[in-house]
Amino acid sequence: MKCVDDFRLKFGKTELVPIVIGGMGVDISSAELALEAARLGGIGHISDAMVPTVSDRRFNTDFVKEKAKLYKYNVANTDKSTVIFDLGRLAEATHMHVGQTMEAKRGDGLIFINCMEKLSMNAPRDTLRVRLSAALDAGIDGITLSAGLHLGSFALIEDHPRFRDAKLGIIVSSVRALQLFLRKNARLGRLPDYIVVEGPLAGGHLGFGLDWAKYDLHAIVAEIVQYLQAEQLDIPLIAAGGIFTGSDAVGFIEIGAAAVQVATRFTVTHEAGLPDKVKQEYFRANEQDIEVNNISPTGYPMRMLKSSPAIGAGIRPNCEAYGYLLDGNGNCAYITAYNREVALHPNDKKVFVMDKTCLCTHMRNFDCWTCGHYTYRLKDTSRLLDDGSYRLLSAEHVFRDYQFSTDNRVALPA
Ligand SMILES: Cc1cc2nc3c(=O)[nH]c(=O)nc-3n(C[C@H](O)[C@H](O)[C@H](O)COP(=O)(O)O)c2cc1C
């Protein structure tokens, strides 16, 4: 019976344990978690979602306070088009977050940053270019392009000195999305260094509709493996979404994946950025406590615990402080939904917005409990303590379990 450790992910001469911890915004995949993956010989992700906010928490900077102060005059205005990010400050925050993480890196593994296209930040191209360039400047090993098709993202950094040396990868959920990406980027003469194929059981935003249950990661991986072979494209494929045990991972490697990307099992580790109380919510969740809904203003379905405080909360939009989901014209689907409810209930002190959520604020406050489909199995990966809580795990324990376990077993903590 094989285990994950019998395989290696190869990037040229670099050989890695074929386990990638996926990006989990906002700072759930913390620097500490990514550093553990790298120390153990795999790949860890930090996230570039709301980096100024993350930097404030991590380094005591004042990026958010400054922006909120600058745009305070606009708080009651429904038009957010004037609320723009200072590109210099954005670069500074990214540089600090990435640079200090890279300085702390030990071991033979790599650290990548997860970059979401849907973080349009009221100036999609300019802000994405700054985020990508600053991460490269600060020495990130690689960038994973996610939450969007990223048809123009490579071109934004084609003149960067590290464009051909850093590892650049994309996340797709279908062969069609991959074909589109390759076609749009053909003129650059630079293929992605890896392709993450994310199926319908993943956490965060999904590349599927509400009919996600009709899709199967094995089938999508098999189709993309076949396509890459037919096109003679030698690009490592990384399977993601619902890979819960080392044996699940081996199953994907045996059908042609070069590695797996996993996340949910790491949400309940000490190193993950969620507050401990929220980690207990993840442990306790049963299958019926998890849903895929449409409350994200991005337009992508998202999986989360039904008890997430973000669901139904009718808070005033916080775009002056955050504003990460404003499209290029100062719009966000939550602002529209919120204004509608306020107009419908003019005398109510508190409104409820059921169809959309202020994702920036709720992700910032760890009140949107996004999670993978198999979150309800987390309780089987730990021990129930006398006080009724579950023992948090170490990232090393979970990583090693993926790396060495066989027979669909999950190792419990000592
Ligand atoms: C809590 C959580 C947050 C996530 N946030 C992001 C994100 O910000 N960007 C992204 O591309 N993927 C995100 N994901 C997806 C993961 O990176 C990963 O590909 C996927 O969840 C793997 O499946 P698994 O969780 O079943 O192991 C998130 C997943 C989880 C569980």
Side-chain angles (χ1 to χ4, degrees):
M1 185 104 199
K2 286 195 181 295
C3 68
V4 169
D5 195 53
D6 294 327
F7 304 91
R8 285 294 176 264
L9 167 61
K10 296 192 184 94
F11 284 135
K13 289 202 181 87
T14 310
E15 292 205 358
L16 299 151
V17 177
I19 299 170
V20 182
I21 302 182
M24 295 179 272
V26 168
D27 212 25
I28 299 176
S29 52
S30 61
E32 291 72 26
L33 182 57
L35 285 164
E36 274 301 89
R39 183 180 69 80
L40 296 166
I43 299 175
H45 275 90
I46 52 175
S47 158
D48 97 328
M50 302 179 75
V51 165
T53 308
V54 171
S55 162
D56 286 352
R57 196 142 47 196
R58 209 176 152 197
F59 308 117
N60 261 327
T61 48
D62 284 321
F63 291 114
V64 175
K65 214 192 295 169
E66 270 176 26
K67 182 166 176 266
K69 201 166 145 199
L70 186 63
Y71 294 112
K72 195 164 171 235
Y73 69 87
N74 198 62
V75 167
N77 192 352
T78 53
D79 179 358
K80 306 294 182 192
S81 55
T82 56
V83 182
I84 49 171
F85 281 85
D86 179 315
L87 296 180
R89 300 297 270 162
L90 179 61
E92 210 182 310
T94 306
H95 206 283
M96 217 177 323
H97 183 43
V98 173
Q100 302 225 10
T101 307
M102 296 313 290
E103 263 173 41
K105 193 178 99 164
R106 304 282 176 273
D108 297 330
L110 301 177
I111 294 192
F112 291 176
I113 190 163
N114 179 279
C115 237
M116 292 187 275
E117 189 175 30
K118 278 286 174 186
L119 239 58
S120 38
M121 299 171 73
N122 219 355
R125 280 171 57 83
D126 292 344
T127 52
L128 185 57
R129 182 190 287 114
V130 164
R131 285 149 55 202
L132 296 170
S133 305
L136 292 171
D137 290 342
I140 197 75
D141 290 319
I143 300 177
T144 302
L145 302 173
S146 72
L149 289 172
H150 283 284
L151 301 181
S153 302
F154 270 21
L156 293 176
I157 46 170
E158 65 177 312
D159 296 326
H160 194 283
R162 296 196 58 217
F163 180 57
R164 283 168 207 279
D165 107 70
K167 302 280 168 261
L168 301 180
I170 52 159
I171 300 190
V172 296
S173 294
S174 68
V175 73
R176 234 187 103 247
L178 174 62
Q179 287 164 337
L180 207 58
F181 180 89
L182 295 176
R183 206 160 48 239
K184 286 281 178 189
N185 287 286
R187 74 161 183 89
L188 295 174
R190 196 236 189 272
L191 291 168
D193 298 293
Y194 58 99
I195 299 162
V196 179
V197 178
E198 195 180 72
L201 304 183
H205 290 98
L206 303 182
F208 302 85
L210 290 179
D211 61 348
W212 57 270
K214 286 200 318 214
Y215 296 88
D216 168 51
L217 180 61
H218 283 97
I220 304 167
V221 166
E223 194 181 5
I224 296 185
V225 165
Q226 201 178 23
Y227 169 74
L228 292 174
Q229 276 169 357
E231 297 293 317
Q232 296 183 326
L233 293 171
D234 187 16
I235 308 174
L237 182 157
I238 301 174
I243 299 170
F244 201 78
T245 66
S247 308
D248 293 342
V250 168
F252 281 102
I253 294 172
E254 283 180 338
I255 64 164
V260 294
Q261 173 164 299
V262 287
T264 293
R265 283 197 55 195
F266 289 92
T267 57
V268 288
T269 59
H270 294 287
E271 291 84 352
L274 291 169
D276 286 357
K277 241 178 78 194
V278 180
K279 289 174 186 167
Q280 294 299 325
E281 300 282 344
Y282 281 49
F283 267 130
R284 276 196 294 269
N286 293 313
E287 188 170 2
Q288 63 274 18
D289 301 330
I290 300 165
E291 68 178 15
V292 176
N293 62 36
N294 261 331
I295 68 167
S296 167
T298 61
Y300 286 102
M302 201 174 178
R303 177 173 280 113
M304 65 187 71
L305 297 189
K306 288 179 187 169
S307 51
S308 298
I311 302 176
I315 57 167
R316 186 162 70 182
N318 267 322
C319 310
E320 285 68 28
Y322 308 132
Y324 293 84
L325 295 181
L326 294 172
D327 62 13
N329 304 310
N331 299 319
C332 165
Y334 179 69
I335 302 177
T336 313
Y338 173 79
N339 290 340
R340 183 199 63 221
E341 290 305 317
V342 171
L344 284 173
H345 307 279
N347 300 320
D348 292 7
K349 271 213 176 100
K350 195 171 166 189
V351 294
F352 297 92
V353 182
M354 298 312 297
D355 52 329
K356 292 292 165 205
T357 195
C358 184
L359 198 62
C360 293
T361 306
H362 293 304
M363 286 304 293
R364 147 74 174 73
N365 294 340
F366 300 112
D367 279 340
C368 179
W369 298 338
T370 183
C371 61
H373 177 75
Y374 287 130
T375 299
Y376 63 87
R377 291 170 65 187
L378 287 175
K379 58 176 79 58
D380 304 328
T381 68
S382 186
R383 292 181 192 278
L384 191 57
L385 302 174
D386 290 342
D387 66 359
S389 69
Y390 286 87
R391 173 168 299 168
L392 295 186
L393 306 168
S394 72
E396 175 169 7
H397 168 82
V398 179
F399 189 97
R400 297 256 191 244
D401 186 42
Y402 270 117
Q403 188 176 358
F404 295 110
S405 91
T406 54
D407 295 313
N408 274 307
R409 276 196 298 260
V410 169
L412 296 182

